[in-house]
């Protein structure tokens, strides 16, 4: 329906290779949820580091100014 549309996928970095076999995906944004989990389990500033990482990911995605977003995650982190 939209021949000029660009399909972008944000995905956990360990699953990036799955996107290689899916036709129509133009851009892949890997997210390292391991960094978030490891940070959250550290004492002191771990939660701050996790927040900073997620904030940087969100800011990068926002800068792309997507027209439409679908969250298909079943993760408890979303």
């Amino acid at each position: 329906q939209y021949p000029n549309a660009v399909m972008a996928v944000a995905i956990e970095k360990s699953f990036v290779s799955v996107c290689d076999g899916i036709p129509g995906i133009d851009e892949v944004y890997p997210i390292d949820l391991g960094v978030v989990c490891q940070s959250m389990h550290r004492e002191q500033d771990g939660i701050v580091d996790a927040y900073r990482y997620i904030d940087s990911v969100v800011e990068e995605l926002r800068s792309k100014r997507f027209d439409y977003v679908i969250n298909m995650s079943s993760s408890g982190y979303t």
Side-chain angles (χ1 to χ4, degrees), residues 7-61:
M7 177 72 68
V9 175
I11 190 166
E12 159 49 43
K13 74 173 193 162
S14 60
F15 296 108
V16 166
S17 63
V18 172
C19 294
D20 294 338
I22 301 175
I25 295 179
D26 301 301
E27 299 174 7
V28 177
Y29 296 94
I31 300 173
D32 190 350
L33 293 179
V35 166
V36 176
C37 291
Q38 291 170 2
S39 294
M40 296 286 289
H41 285 92
R42 282 195 347 258
E43 293 182 17
Q44 298 171 344
D45 291 337
I47 195 166
V48 173
D49 292 339
Y51 174 84
R52 285 183 181 144
Y53 175 74
I54 292 297
D55 188 53
S56 70
V57 169
V58 168
E59 286 303 313
E60 178 183 357
L61 294 174

